[in-house]
């Protein structure tokens, strides 16, 4: 078994801004695993919020010497490195077996899922224009996380009066700001609030009214973090770059549902290769947020299909 990793850069269709900063390109790592003439592919997006860089994630991937199994990867921490390797091993297994990933996982045949489309954080007038341009989409996600978000909420709702709206504060609010905004979220028909408080301060959610479902993102990584969410959150955002791959993502989905949580399946800003395994986890999810490729100006050679039915599972030529 040979394992290699290369950096790839995909230009974004426009500047993408969240409360932590802006970017004009998606920087990813592509992993290739070769064995017996078969090749498996995976992609990850190192995330600075978790102390990940292209360099240290590359080093972690290169520290793994084949042959290795998906279970053997659990010596690595949950995160981007394990994700790319895990997904590449799934792809390799599929090609060796001549079966699709959902068959190997014992899952029903997947179908399309409506995905959120993310509006970048900007001034209210610009966000209203973004919303109006995308008002045909059934589900819009707003990036917020500043003290001046009320005007942005109003602007987006005015721009897209019929779309369902979810909000991602990216840990940018205090408990007081969230409490003040909560009634207005209800009034404006917001369906979900993602990570309103910093992960280290989310005990403030205990006992707080949650008139709109609250979703754990930065507070939820893999199965080991599930017990810390009780009484604070209603929904768990599963991202493969946080769980450390499809294997753990499927386990987390099962565990979260068993404990009464709803599930959201999200992504970092990456290519169709990164989203492809996540489409399996997204089947039947409360919210699917796999719009990474829609934010790119360029994508993989065999990209995912996005249409009125949502994001479709990948072709075998892409992954799995």
């Amino acid at each position: 078994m040979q394992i290699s990793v290369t950096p790839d850069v995909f230009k974004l269709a426009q500047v993408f801004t969240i409360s932590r900063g802006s970017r004009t390109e998606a920087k990813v790592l592509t992993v290739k695993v070769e064995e017996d003439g078969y090749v498996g592919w995976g992609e990850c997006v190192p995330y600075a919020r978790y102390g990940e860089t292209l360099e240290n994630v590359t080093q972690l991937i290169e520290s793994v010497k084949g042959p290795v199994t998906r279970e053997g990867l659990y010596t690595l921490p949950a995160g981007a490195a394990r994700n790319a390797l895990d997904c590449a091993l799934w792809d390799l297994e599929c090609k060796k077996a001549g079966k699709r990933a959902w068959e190997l996982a014992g899952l029903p045949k997947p179908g399309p899922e409506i995905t959120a489309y993310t509006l970048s954080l900007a001034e209210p007038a610009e966000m209203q224009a973004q919303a109006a341009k995308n008002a045909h989409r059934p589900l819009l996600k707003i990036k917020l996380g500043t003290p001046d978000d009320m005007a942005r909420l109003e602007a987006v709702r005015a721009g897209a009066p019929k779309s369902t709206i979810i909000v991602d504060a990216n840990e940018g609010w205090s408990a007081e700001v969230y409490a003040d905004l909560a009634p207005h979220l209800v009034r404006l028909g917001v369906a979900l609030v993602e990570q309103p408080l910093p992960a280290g301060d989310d005990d403030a959610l205990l006992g707080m009214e949650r008139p709109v479902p609250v979703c754990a993102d930065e507070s939820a990584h893999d199965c080991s973090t599930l017990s810390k969410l009780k009484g604070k959150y209603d929904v768990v955002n599963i991202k493969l770059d946080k769980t450390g791959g499809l294997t753990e993502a499927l386990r987390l989905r099962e565990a979260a549902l068993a404990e009464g949580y709803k599930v959201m399946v999200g992504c970092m800003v990456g290519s169709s290769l990164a989203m492809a395994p996540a489409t399996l986890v997204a089947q039947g999810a409360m919210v699917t947020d796999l719009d990474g490729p829609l934010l790119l100006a360029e994508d993989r050679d065999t990209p995912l299909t996005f249409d009125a039915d949502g994001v479709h599972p990948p072709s075998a030529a892409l992954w799995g």
Side-chain angles (χ1 to χ4, degrees):
M1 178 181 286
Q2 292 182 311
I3 299 170
S4 59
V5 55
T6 56
D8 284 306
V9 178
F10 295 90
K11 292 181 181 178
L12 301 187
Q14 61 187 36
V15 177
F16 185 73
T17 301
I18 66 172
S19 59
R20 296 192 190 99
S22 300
R23 69 180 76 175
T24 58
E25 55 192 15
K27 296 181 179 180
V28 310
L29 293 174
T30 304
V31 165
K32 179 169 71 170
V33 179
E34 301 178 78
E35 188 174 56
D36 301 331
Y38 297 93
V39 178
W41 297 93
E43 178 184 315
C44 68
V45 183
Y47 200 46
R49 167 66 178 78
Y50 307 128
E52 295 177 335
T53 65
L54 291 169
E55 292 74 24
N56 64 26
V57 172
T58 295
Q59 290 172 1
L60 199 53
I61 293 169
E62 290 178 339
S63 73
V64 176
K65 306 301 178 185
V68 66
T69 64
R70 288 189 283 110
E71 292 300 324
L73 292 177
Y74 275 76
T75 57
L76 298 177
R82 196 174 82 195
N83 174 34
L85 285 163
D86 179 80
C87 292
L89 288 175
W90 272 100
D91 192 36
L92 182 69
E93 290 172 38
C94 289
K95 288 170 178 172
K96 282 187 169 185
K99 294 184 177 181
R100 300 306 309 273
W102 57 269
E103 294 178 288
L104 293 184
L107 299 172
K109 184 177 181 179
E113 292 283 337
I114 293 295
T115 181
Y117 179 82
T118 305
L119 303 183
S120 183
L121 180 66
E123 291 303 310
E126 184 178 339
M127 292 189 75
Q128 183 169 343
Q130 287 185 58
K133 182 180 178 181
N134 291 282
H136 63 285
R137 300 184 188 275
L139 181 59
L140 296 178
K141 175 173 170 175
I142 317 172
K143 287 290 189 179
L144 297 177
T146 78
D148 307 311
D149 283 336
M150 193 63 239
R152 292 183 171 91
L153 276 166
E154 298 275 12
V156 169
R157 176 48 82 200
K162 295 182 180 179
S163 300
T164 298
I165 292 175
I166 59 176
V167 165
D168 185 3
N170 279 119
E171 304 179 277
W173 292 340
S174 66
E176 293 74 22
V177 168
Y178 170 62
D180 287 343
L181 284 174
H184 299 288
L185 299 175
V186 175
R187 175 176 61 83
L188 293 168
V190 172
L192 181 79
V193 180
E194 205 178 332
Q195 198 70 41
L197 308 186
D201 297 333
D202 66 357
D203 280 354
L205 292 170
L206 289 168
M208 185 180 289
E209 283 191 37
R210 298 194 296 272
V212 173
V214 177
C215 178
D217 183 0
E218 285 85 353
S219 291
H221 291 254
D222 57 3
C223 288
S224 71
T225 62
L226 196 57
S227 62
K228 302 173 184 177
L229 309 181
K230 192 173 182 63
K232 306 175 190 177
Y233 297 98
D234 311 290
V235 186
V236 177
N237 189 349
I238 301 173
K239 293 179 180 175
L240 271 62
D241 275 313
K242 293 189 303 174
T243 65
L246 176 61
T247 303
E248 183 70 8
L250 291 172
R251 291 173 178 171
L252 178 56
R253 182 181 70 169
E254 184 177 1
L257 292 172
E259 293 196 21
Y261 294 99
K262 301 288 187 181
V263 164
M264 174 179 182
V265 177
C267 64
M268 308 303 185
V269 182
S271 82
S272 284
L273 179 59
M275 309 301 128
T279 62
L280 302 187
V281 190
Q283 298 299 300
M286 176 187 177
V287 174
T288 296
D289 179 24
L290 298 178
D291 65 342
L294 295 177
L295 306 176
L296 303 180
E298 52 194 13
D299 199 356
R300 301 284 177 176
D301 291 339
T302 52
L304 289 173
T305 296
F306 292 83
D307 59 22
D309 294 322
V311 54
H312 290 252
S315 66
L318 175 62
W319 180 88

